[in-house]
Amino acid sequence: MFTFSRRPADDPAEEAARLLLRVGVFLLFVISLVAPILARQTVYILLPIGAALLLISASLSEDARAGRSLRAILLSPPMLAAMLLVLWTGLSLLWTPFSGPGERFGKAVDTLGLVAVATGFLPLRTKTSNLNLLPIGAAIAAVALVAITLLLKPQYSIEDILDVGPLARAGLGLALLVWPAMGALAVRGRWYSAAALGVGTILACYLSKAPNALPALAGGAVVFATAFGRARQMSMALAALMAAIILLAPLAAFTTHLVWPESPPTFFKHLAFWGHMIASDGPRTLIGHGFGAATWGVLGGYLTPATPRSLIFQIWFDLGVLGAAALALVAVRASLAVGGTRPALAPFLLGGLGAGFVICLLGPAAEQLWWLTLAGLDAIAFALVTRGQFRKRRPRLPAGWGAPAQEGA
């Protein structure tokens, strides 16, 4: 008679933790990419649910390192820089001329907290089965965007034009998350799948008319190509470039206004308008008008619809030089942290960082909650991929494992 050796039964709590982790990752990187195509508000619901599932999973797991991982995330240089930006933003509410930004600031802080919790309670090693959900979600979102735009031919309302509609938001989210998804495929030798996902994303962003998604993908591609084989050097160069653009943007705007005071070229129109505002504000540019002043100023008719919509403009207009310096510090620390990951993965993550920065530079991403939520999902995806267990082949079974053994021998 033969018997077969078996692995000892797993702890039910550990099995439940694995299931909740799988469901949480599925919600964050499959459902959160697809559902907003049809309903723009779903991403605000799915992020808290996904973060809660990751937290419950960590509490059920026997791995005691989850708390240390959260502390490491909170004390990491990018997170400390983000906390500095949040602190100055909160202080600016004291002199903002509107009452509405207070509620948005609270929601933004909640979102940042959820992202920190979700990232901190991810396992220190991401299983391949969970990692696969990221490219699967990106591929499904790309196919869904292409199918809806080709088959249904959606009509865009005035609200969609003024405040980015669900299809365009989904395209911008895909332009961010495709980079860690392609990295997860490429480092396991699936280059053709990564290339196919990239092509599908370009097509989906083009058909969805996501504003500035194609320039963002092009900018990310340039960073990716440049970083291949020299990720650390490129991370430092990208950090310096982003910091210089953020800190010197008002000088470029004011110079553009001086060169073209009346009829600037179309490409420089928003920059020249910002330069005109700097000339009118004077020293107030260095202090800022308070969080939400740019957005609520346009909504209330105090600023014209021609006001720039980029994040860099709003940071300078609302938070002044200290806010811009904090944003530059966030960008620098994020770039250096990404450049320190494994050499095969870093170029993809640097490409994603470059794509996100282009969207922040050109717009329409600014201080909107939907953009902060998409950026938060992107940060969680970065953490998921950097903790991945990458194998190109299945591991071999140990010798004698599962081999038949004769009783009484």
Side-chain angles (χ1 to χ4, degrees):
M1 183 176 180
F2 294 94
T3 60
F4 294 87
S5 61
R6 300 176 60 186
R7 291 188 303 173
D10 291 320
D11 181 18
E14 193 69 26
E15 287 294 317
R18 293 173 187 169
L19 176 61
L20 290 175
L21 175 64
R22 183 74 54 83
V23 175
V25 174
F26 181 79
L27 284 176
L28 289 174
F29 300 116
V30 178
I31 305 300
S32 291
L33 285 177
V34 178
I37 296 176
L38 301 176
R40 72 176 74 195
Q41 301 296 331
T42 52
V43 68
Y44 305 130
I45 302 172
L46 295 172
L47 177 59
I49 295 176
L53 290 175
L54 295 182
L55 176 59
I56 298 173
S57 172
S59 65
L60 292 176
S61 177
E62 295 180 354
D63 190 354
R65 295 175 294 178
R68 294 199 299 269
S69 177
L70 179 60
R71 286 193 294 272
I73 291 294
L74 293 177
L75 296 177
S76 63
M79 182 58 71
L80 292 176
M83 290 180 181
L84 178 62
L85 178 59
V86 170
L87 177 62
W88 179 246
T89 302
L91 288 175
S92 74
L93 292 174
L94 296 176
W95 60 82
T96 186
F98 305 99
S99 59
E103 181 182 359
R104 174 172 289 188
F105 174 74
K107 292 179 179 179
V109 172
D110 292 342
T111 301
L112 182 62
L114 288 171
V115 171
V117 168
T119 304
F121 284 104
L122 284 173
L124 296 181
R125 290 291 180 266
T126 305
K127 290 187 175 181
T128 303
S129 55
N130 291 328
L131 191 63
N132 285 336
L133 293 175
L134 180 55
I136 288 173
I140 293 175
V143 172
L145 270 176
V146 170
I148 289 177
T149 51
L150 288 180
L151 298 179
L152 299 182
K153 296 182 179 179
Q155 300 295 323
Y156 296 94
S157 63
I158 296 297
E159 182 182 0
D160 292 337
I161 296 174
L162 295 178
D163 186 18
V164 184
L167 290 181
R169 291 185 186 184
L172 290 172
L174 186 58
L176 290 180
L177 287 164
V178 69
W179 294 98
M182 288 193 300
L185 292 171
V187 294
R188 286 181 289 145
R190 299 180 180 179
W191 287 94
Y192 290 112
S193 299
L197 181 59
V199 172
T201 298
I202 294 174
L203 181 61
C205 291
Y206 172 74
L207 293 176
S208 66
K209 299 180 180 179
N212 292 321
L214 292 181
L217 290 173
V222 171
V223 174
F224 165 77
T226 309
F228 232 93
R230 45 184 181 274
R232 288 187 180 274
Q233 296 88 334
M234 186 58 197
S235 69
M236 292 186 287
L238 181 62
L241 177 63
M242 291 190 296
I245 291 176
I246 294 172
L247 296 177
L248 299 179
L251 180 60
F254 187 69
T255 302
T256 304
H257 167 66
L258 294 179
V259 174
W260 294 292
E262 296 297 335
S263 300
T266 303
F267 183 80
F268 295 99
K269 184 176 180 180
H270 290 293
L271 200 60
F273 184 84
W274 184 12
H276 176 72
M277 296 177 69
I278 293 174
S280 301
D281 280 349
R284 188 60 186 265
T285 301
L286 301 177
I287 304 173
H289 297 77
F291 177 67
T295 300
W296 266 261
V298 173
L299 294 176
Y302 300 100
L303 298 175
T304 69
T307 302
R309 300 175 61 193
S310 71
L311 177 63
I312 295 176
F313 163 77
Q314 290 196 358
I315 288 290
W316 268 101
F317 187 84
D318 292 354
L319 306 179
V321 65
L322 290 181
L327 178 63
L329 183 60
V330 171
V332 168
R333 300 309 308 185
S335 181
L336 295 179
V338 167
T341 58
R342 64 187 75 193
L345 182 62
F348 291 94
L349 302 185
L350 287 172
L353 192 61
F357 184 75
V358 170
I359 296 174
C360 292
L361 179 63
L362 301 180
E367 296 170 351
Q368 304 99 320
L369 188 60
W370 63 264
W371 172 249
L372 182 61
T373 305
L374 290 179
L377 285 175
D378 197 35
I380 300 172
F382 274 40
L384 187 78
V385 173
T386 54
R387 301 180 184 187
Q389 295 176 336
F390 298 109
R391 298 189 185 102
K392 296 183 180 180
R393 297 180 181 177
R394 290 182 178 273
R396 294 183 179 180
L397 293 177
W401 192 93
Q406 189 173 4
E407 285 188 352

